[in-house]
Amino acid sequence: MKTTEDAGRAAQGFAVEGMLESVAPYGSGHINDSYCAVFDRGGRRERFLLQRVNTRIFDDPAALMENIERVTSHLAGKAGRADGSRRVLTLARTRDGQAWLMDADGDVWRMYRFIEGARSFDVVESGPQAYEAARAFGEFQRMLADLPLPRLHETLPDFHSTPKRLEALKLAIEADGMGRNEEAAREIAFALEREGVTRLLVGAGLPERVTHNDTKISNVLLDERTGKGICVIDLETVMPGLAAFDFGDMVRTMTCPAAEDERDLSKVRMEMGMFEAVAGGYLSVAAGFLTDAERRSLSEAGSVITLEQGIRFLTDYLEGDRYFKVHRAGQNLDRARAQFRLVEQLEEQAEAMERVLEGAAG
Ligand code: ADP
Ligand code: GN1
Ligand code: MG
């Protein structure tokens, strides 16, 4: 377990002018540990977002950070000079000029300049917010479409291989290592009944492009004053993928007004007006580059990716909560239940979603 003092020591390893004033835990991600580090530069405060990379999950930090360096410098090259530093994450360099450092315990740290006057949301609050977040992720895909070769590293191989996620669930069920199968019997049945759905995206011959792969609403910063989407963050999973992976995770997190672990399932709804906003925002940019097959794949994307996320939470629950951070007992099962409720909603409204996509811009 790392302490805030460890984080403070790591922050000192970066070449930032001024004195480190404070370091405090920040954000609500499920994987890495994030901190806000404040430096005092002669009376002027400068903030940074310091992160300890979860190397249990990302076991090749050099490859991971090489991806992030390539992606951020490509994006920075495209951002206009005015406001450019707010539109792209900027890595702080270590004292010896590297993009990350390893501490004495083998923990890996990196630090970004803090983007001020912007914030992320854990739960979507309005249509315009969904539109802006989706547009920002569309822009992100557009700007990375001409990333020069070589292909990015697959930081987590088969990350969105929904069939493999189902296989992993089956292994967890077979092992029943924590004796939790019985409590999750309904959710297990729900997932196993949908084997066909898991094969709708992967293996369908869709083109590979650079995708973000973790496009939940909390991974985009919106300007506090204008509400505009300004910067896509959390770049760990940026790698080769399908446009539908990103669109599907937007549908999962931007069309439903309930928290990811909501226990009152009557609150877990797919709101058509929000879906229109997500489709409108994303396609306002992506209509310009998607192939016909990619565009058709968007109608199933929400169900597949929401099902996949539910399968992942359920697997982790059965395996003893080893992957996703939990803050209370049963949280991963609650998360899985909420995802599966949303899958039902998406299934019920599939035709209406298709009509929206057919009628959307482009
Ligand atoms: P995790 O992988 O744990 O989700 P993120 O990279 O998404 O970590 O960061 C966690 C939170 O910190 C984000 O939801 C966002 O609110 C905030 N954040 C991340 N990067 C920055 C940044 N450069 N400037 C300001 N806030 C940031
Ligand atoms: C994790 O890091 P964070 O919290 O943004 C996970 C995503 C899941 C998400 C569910 C590397 O994302 O794949 O969709 O939780 N990231 C990784 O909230 O597994
Ligand atoms: Mg995040």
Side-chain angles (χ1 to χ4, degrees), residues 29-31 159 214 216 219 234 252 260 309 312 323:
H30 296 340
I31 309 290
F159 189 62
D214 190 5
K216 65 180 187 183
N219 286 336
D234 209 341
R252 180 178 80 82
E260 196 175 49
Q309 189 63 58
R312 293 177 63 197
Y323 188 95

Side-chain angles (χ1 to χ4, degrees), residues 28-32 57-58 155-156 159-160 165 212-216 218-219 233-234 236-237 249 252-253 260 305 308-309 312-313 323-324 335 339:
S28 57
H30 296 340
I31 309 290
N32 298 312
I57 292 171
F58 297 100
T155 50
L156 297 171
F159 189 62
H160 278 302
R165 297 292 189 180
H212 182 282
N213 297 305
D214 190 5
T215 53
K216 65 180 187 183
S218 63
N219 286 336
I233 58 169
D234 209 341
E236 239 106 44
T237 51
D249 211 41
R252 180 178 80 82
T253 61
E260 196 175 49
I305 297 299
E308 176 186 291
Q309 189 63 58
R312 293 177 63 197
F313 285 141
Y323 188 95
F324 296 103
R335 288 170 175 155
Q339 304 312 298

Side-chain angles (χ1 to χ4, degrees), residues 192-258:
L192 295 180
E193 276 163 21
R194 284 166 177 75
E195 182 138 19
V197 180
T198 67
R199 287 195 287 263
L200 290 174
L201 297 179
V202 169
L206 291 161
E208 176 182 292
R209 59 172 69 248
V210 175
T211 49
H212 182 282
N213 297 305
D214 190 5
T215 53
K216 65 180 187 183
I217 180 98
S218 63
N219 286 336
V220 57
L221 299 177
L222 305 184
D223 189 284
E224 273 171 2
R225 205 170 43 82
T226 64
K228 295 280 179 209
I230 58 165
C231 185
V232 165
I233 58 169
D234 209 341
L235 306 178
E236 239 106 44
T237 51
V238 180
M239 58 182 157
L242 305 182
F245 296 159
D246 283 359
F247 188 73
D249 211 41
M250 293 184 226
V251 173
R252 180 178 80 82
T253 61
M254 299 177 196
T255 66
C256 171

